[in-house]
Amino acid sequence: MISMVKDLAAEALFVSSLQPSECPSNRAVEQAVTAMLLLHGSEGCAAEVATEFGDHPDTAVRRMHWVNEELTGVVAPAPALT
């Protein structure tokens, strides 16, 4: 389940206007993900990601690496209860 949530968040952050140079806070990342999901929906975000990878593969790969790094601190599995 966490993997699906992270994938969805990655697509939404990818299509957002946030840039690596902004060094966004976790809160800014969460807000961008929420805004893009509300604006485009999950299928719309996925479609825009696919378009960018088709049109600009080199740039898209670098952006997706950044997206995944940003989401490491935001979307993480909850600690296991013992």
Side-chain angles (χ1 to χ4, degrees):
M1 180 68 156
I2 294 296
S3 177
M4 289 176 22
V5 170
K6 187 172 181 182
D7 291 347
L8 183 58
E11 292 168 349
L13 182 57
F14 184 95
V15 301
S16 77
S17 62
L18 282 182
Q19 297 297 315
S21 60
E22 296 177 63
C23 300
S25 66
N26 285 355
R27 182 73 181 133
V29 169
E30 290 171 359
Q31 289 174 334
V33 167
T34 300
M36 292 301 98
L37 288 173
L38 290 173
L39 181 64
H40 300 291
S42 60
E43 291 180 8
C45 288
E48 287 199 35
V49 170
T51 299
E52 283 302 309
F53 269 90
D55 293 346
H56 310 284
D58 294 341
T59 306
V61 168
R62 285 192 302 274
R63 182 156 178 87
M64 190 55 80
H65 280 284
W66 170 75
V67 162
N68 285 316
E69 288 175 11
E70 286 299 311
L71 291 178
T72 299
V74 178
V75 180
L81 298 175
T82 56

